[in-house]
Amino acid sequence: MKKFLTGLATAALLAIAPATFAEKSLKMSTTTSTVNSGLLAVLDPAFEKKYGIRMDVIAVGTGKALRIGGNGDVDVVFVHAPTAELKYVASGDFIDRSAVMHNDFVIVGAESDPAGIGSAKTVAEALTKIAKSQSPFVSRGDDSGTHKKEKLLWKAAGIEPKGEWYQAAGQGMGAVLRIADDKQAYALADRGTQIAYADKMALKVIFEGDKALFNPYHVMAVNPAKHKHVRYDLAKKYIDFVTGKEGQAIIESYRKRGEQLFYPAAK
Amino acid sequence: MDYFSHSLSVALELIFQLDPAVWQVVWTSLKISLMAIVIASAMAIPLGALIALNEFAGKRFIQQLLNTLMAMPTVVVGLLLYGLLSRRGALGDLGLLYTPWAVVIGECLLIFPIILNLTVVAIQSADSRLLPTLHSLGANRGQTMWMVLSETRFAIMAAVVVGFGRALGEVGAAMMLGGNIEGFTRTMTTAIALETSKGEFELGLALGLLLLSIAFLVNLFLQLLQRRAV
């Protein structure tokens, strides 16, 4: 009995240990929107196939994705928070920052639009209307790129969002859309995730089109001078791929329910 | 209720279609939990016997400590190990963060106190005539330990099963240390968390059902082993 168990355990260890965890790969931290929108599910396999490199993608909020990269725990970072990105570049954590694509943010909400933001001229006006009417608003509250953007927009509107109507969920874009949908609340969302979730929720795009809602995505390599172990060669290949002809064509042609989610930005 | 029953039928479909993505996740979960349980058991069971069979100062304190550690929140283990395993951390050079090994280590830390504590309790509550009998038969320490362990093997196996269940069903440490990387560190629990946040209720439910079925099968298997051993 004991022997049998010991044998079983050893066999399990031997079978599992060497083969599975050894493989080399390119590690990337990224925002949830690139994954939740489904884009990386078509972009990355093309790269993996071309170079025979496995991609390990860690999808978290942009804030955390940047920190993971700054700690040297990944090789490449794919995010959307230009101000924060430039800070990391200035401190020498990342190099080769390149524009990949862009889309825009939208404010989603119940079709009845209780705060009447559909007629607003600017996003500042829209947010003011939400705050004035105390209409429920669900914030990411997770230091993600979308959350950073949202904070900037409130600030620009001269409002400090506070009170029962303003709820910080502390979760990813998809989760926040679900929560907002349940509460019939407003929320700021990136267009990519909004389109990807459109058929799973009753929320509609209520406000869009202000230039302040521009949402650019950049890819950066973790600086090998700062973190010796990073696979800069692979990171560079990835950056060249997504900003190159093939990657840009995949981004251009990526559609969900017939709608384009991202617009290629590389020159 | 309609929504739920509809999701349930889609979930069952996904399971029985043998969707490769689903099975990859199941396999990753099993691998990680099995390794964690083997490593943790190999350390905790002998140590548990040592603690139970010897009297020493601070024994009560150790047992209290173990009871406390059994309630350790999984994210705390995740957080501690994250600090250690990150490239900035003390063990950063090993490059273990965001690999299955990091998750294995995390689960090990979580279930080690459980197995240890339950082993100590199992031995302490064994037949009180066992030790005097072994002594009078002239057993040395090693022989005593072996006999005690084999006398209490069912209770200890139950401890192992509890530990395995905890490792298999745990999500906090797995998410923080593994990073939920598809095909690499995505376990059943982190996949459920992801699919739920994506609003893919059916897939989350399918994985939840699988998790329960696997726990059931493992328990069944161990029960059969016990029967054979009797």
Side-chain angles (χ1 to χ4, degrees):
Chain A
M1 167 68 187
K2 268 259 144 64
K3 256 191 189 153
F4 176 72
L5 269 190
T6 325
L8 193 72
T10 324
L13 268 183
L14 285 179
I16 292 163
T20 33
F21 303 163
E23 222 179 315
K24 284 281 175 218
S25 60
L26 174 65
K27 277 197 159 64
M28 174 165 84
S29 62
T30 181
T31 151
T32 47
S33 54
T34 53
V35 176
N36 283 1
S37 63
L39 175 68
L40 285 192
V42 292
L43 193 57
D44 285 353
F47 172 77
E48 291 176 315
K49 211 173 153 196
K50 183 168 178 186
Y51 292 104
I53 300 165
R54 202 191 67 224
M55 295 278 306
D56 286 346
V57 176
I58 298 155
V60 286
T62 284
K64 192 176 176 198
L66 287 167
R67 245 171 293 141
I68 292 173
N71 285 345
D73 289 322
V74 289
D75 308 301
V76 66
V77 180
F78 189 170
V79 290
H80 66 138
T83 325
E85 290 162 22
L86 288 172
K87 266 188 213 150
Y88 276 86
V89 172
S91 63
D93 283 308
F94 303 140
I95 54 173
D96 298 345
R97 178 171 180 267
S98 318
V100 180
M101 60 194 190
H102 59 81
N103 58 11
D104 58 351
F105 290 105
V106 296
I107 298 181
V108 296
E111 213 164 3
S112 59
D113 188 16
I117 66 171
S119 59
K121 299 262 177 322
T122 64
V123 65
E125 189 191 336
L127 290 178
T128 310
K129 281 186 158 172
I130 292 174
K132 276 233 174 92
S133 62
Q134 309 248 313
S135 309
F137 183 98
V138 182
S139 164
R140 291 282 294 275
D142 62 349
D143 197 32
S144 58
T146 306
H147 185 221
K148 284 173 195 286
K149 182 76 186 180
E150 185 210 311
K151 283 192 286 189
L152 285 176
L153 291 172
W154 285 112
K155 211 174 157 192
I159 297 168
E160 196 184 337
K162 240 194 215 159
E164 233 171 86
W165 60 277
Y166 184 78
Q167 300 172 338
Q171 301 198 50
M173 192 71 257
V176 164
L177 284 178
R178 274 193 311 112
I179 295 168
D181 191 36
D182 236 44
K183 296 181 182 277
Q184 293 288 292
Y186 291 102
L188 183 73
D190 66 282
R191 171 114 32 203
T193 314
Q194 181 270 319
I195 294 176
Y197 279 66
D199 57 348
K200 288 186 203 134
M201 56 182 195
L203 296 185
K204 299 272 178 287
V205 173
I206 309 292
F207 182 87
E208 61 187 320
D210 189 331
K211 270 199 188 112
L213 292 174
F214 186 62
N215 179 28
Y217 288 77
H218 289 84
V219 64
M220 300 173 285
V222 176
N223 190 350
K226 226 172 174 176
H227 296 284
K228 268 191 229 106
H229 58 268
V230 296
R231 311 202 34 126
Y232 175 68
D233 51 332
L234 301 186
K236 188 85 182 79
K237 276 198 180 118
Y238 186 75
I239 293 175
D240 289 345
F241 178 80
V242 294
T243 58
K245 237 188 199 160
E246 271 171 89
Q248 294 284 298
I250 291 172
I251 293 166
E252 169 76 44
S253 62
Y254 183 62
R255 297 279 192 289
K256 196 128 186 184
R257 304 187 322 126
E259 289 191 72
Q260 182 163 0
L261 276 68
F262 300 101
Y263 298 85
K267 282 143 210 147
Chain B
M1 206 54 213
D2 251 13
Y3 182 44
F4 188 79
S5 57
H6 168 75
S7 298
L8 196 67
S9 71
V10 178
L12 290 175
E13 235 171 74
L14 277 170
I15 294 175
F16 289 109
Q17 277 168 355
L18 305 178
D19 186 72
V22 171
W23 289 101
Q24 163 106 59
V25 164
V26 171
W27 176 227
T28 308
S29 263
L30 280 178
K31 259 188 327 204
I32 287 173
S33 314
L34 274 176
M35 294 198 50
I37 197 71
V38 168
I39 296 169
S41 302
M43 293 187 297
I45 295 174
L47 191 62
L50 276 179
I51 293 176
L53 294 177
N54 292 292
E55 290 307 323
F56 53 90
K59 181 168 170 172
R60 282 183 76 133
F61 174 73
I62 287 190
Q63 283 191 276
Q64 273 176 353
L65 188 72
L66 284 176
N67 277 325
T68 311
L69 288 179
M70 274 173 74
M72 177 101 100
T74 60
V75 283
V76 172
V77 168
L79 203 60
L80 290 174
L81 279 176
Y82 183 89
L84 275 177
L85 296 179
S86 165
R87 290 285 179 178
R88 288 249 169 107
L91 301 175
D93 289 339
L94 298 174
L96 288 178
L97 191 61
Y98 301 131
T99 68
W101 288 113
V103 187
V104 169
I105 296 170
E107 306 300 351
C108 265
L109 277 184
L110 274 173
I111 60 183
F112 177 78
I114 296 176
I115 302 174
L116 184 55
N117 201 9
L118 293 180
T119 303
V120 173
V121 172
I123 293 175
Q124 278 174 343
S125 48
D127 191 334
S128 59
R129 287 164 302 184
L130 182 58
L131 278 184
T133 311
L134 286 170
H135 279 302
S136 69
L137 288 172
N140 63 26
R141 283 179 77 126
Q143 286 168 328
T144 304
M145 203 161 128
W146 183 251
M147 281 311 295
V148 167
L149 281 178
S150 72
E151 279 300 312
T152 52
R153 61 181 182 274
F154 295 140
I156 288 174
M157 208 187 272
V160 172
V161 171
V162 170
F164 185 76
R166 168 100 157 159
L168 194 68
E170 188 281 328
V171 60
M175 186 67 98
M176 290 183 78
L177 300 169
N180 195 22
I181 298 169
E182 193 182 358
F184 192 48
T185 59
R186 182 163 300 167
T187 63
M188 281 190 274
T189 53
T190 61
I192 292 171
L194 174 74
E195 297 307 334
T196 308
S197 85
K198 280 164 64 178
E200 302 281 354
F201 193 57
E202 295 88 355
L203 195 51
L205 198 61
L207 287 164
L209 285 176
L210 266 178
L211 189 76
L212 282 176
S213 326
I214 285 164
F216 180 77
L217 285 178
V218 169
N219 282 313
L220 194 71
F221 174 71
L222 286 172
Q223 217 176 50
L224 290 177
L225 271 186
Q226 284 183 2
R227 284 226 191 106
R228 243 187 51 181
V230 168

